[in-house]
Amino acid sequence: KQEVTQIPAALSVPEGENLVLNCSFTDSAIYNLQWFRQDPGKGLTSLLLIQSSQREQTSGRLNASLDKSSGRSTLYIAASQPGDSATYLCGCGDYKLSFGAGTTVTVRA
Amino acid sequence: NAGVTQTPKFQVLKTGQSMTLQCAQDMNHEYMSWYRQDPGMGLRLIHYSVGAGITDQGEVPNGYNVSRSTTEDFPLRLLSAAPSQTSVYFCASSYGRAQETQYFGPGTRLLVL
């Protein structure tokens, strides 16, 4: 059974600082890893999808890396803004995802 | 496209009552899933479907039923609600089996008294 862990559970940074969010998983035989953003009371919005054959994906200020051998993925958010405040979730698998509990980010203006 | 839609947004039930959570998608996705999200925990898979007429159990299926009569709709039924089923329920869909982005609905918040 895939176990997914996200540390830390919460993070507070001043505006402009770079964010580093971690995701670790126990089974390296994953199809893909997906990073999501969740705003309070809302659904999940997909940010980046890294396929198992890829090592990283980038979209704007977001960059996600994947190291299957060590069972780790990292989401980098450059030059954070107050609008980046949300909970970030990683999910591993195919059409059936195993999720971490998320990291709640607060960016202080 | 409306994407993935869920109804209702919020529901209060008494213990023992039954209800159906609705989920629909207009993206012609074959794969659909139901998850529940509880405080401090990640989303957990309840049931999933790989196409019309095909469903299977996920990690936490007890107390829930599903059916998939069309590609678009994937309702989740609570047979006899229990307080332990108080949660936020999310429906998700994707086009392919793997290497495809999953799209989530806005969620249904359920309170069982």
Side-chain angles (χ1 to χ4, degrees), chain B residues 36-92:
Chain B
R36 60 178 287 172
Q37 184 178 37
D38 300 295
M41 303 181 69
L43 280 73
R44 293 181 292 167
L45 183 65
I46 305 171
H47 284 285
Y48 63 95
S49 170
V50 300
I54 306 170
T55 64
D56 206 346
Q57 298 181 351
E59 180 185 356
V60 288
N62 292 342
Y64 308 96
N65 270 358
V66 292
S67 61
R68 185 99 178 268
S69 57
T70 67
T71 298
E72 294 78 18
D73 300 298
F74 190 41
L76 178 72
R77 297 182 186 84
L78 278 68
L79 308 174
S80 177
S84 62
Q85 294 179 305
T86 293
S87 187
V88 182
Y89 292 85
F90 290 100
C91 179

Side-chain angles (χ1 to χ4, degrees), chain A residues 31-32 34 38 94-95 97, chain B residues 35 37 42 97 99 101-102:
Chain A
Y31 284 96
N32 61 54
Q34 201 163 349
Q38 185 177 29
D94 45 21
Y95 59 95
L97 294 175
Chain B
Y35 295 85
Q37 184 178 37
R97 180 176 188 272
Q99 303 175 348
T101 297
Q102 285 223 10

Side-chain angles (χ1 to χ4, degrees), chain A residues 38-52:
Chain A
Q38 185 177 29
D39 293 294
K42 303 294 185 182
L44 280 67
T45 300
S46 179
L47 296 174
L48 290 169
L49 169 70
I50 311 176
Q51 297 177 2
S52 60

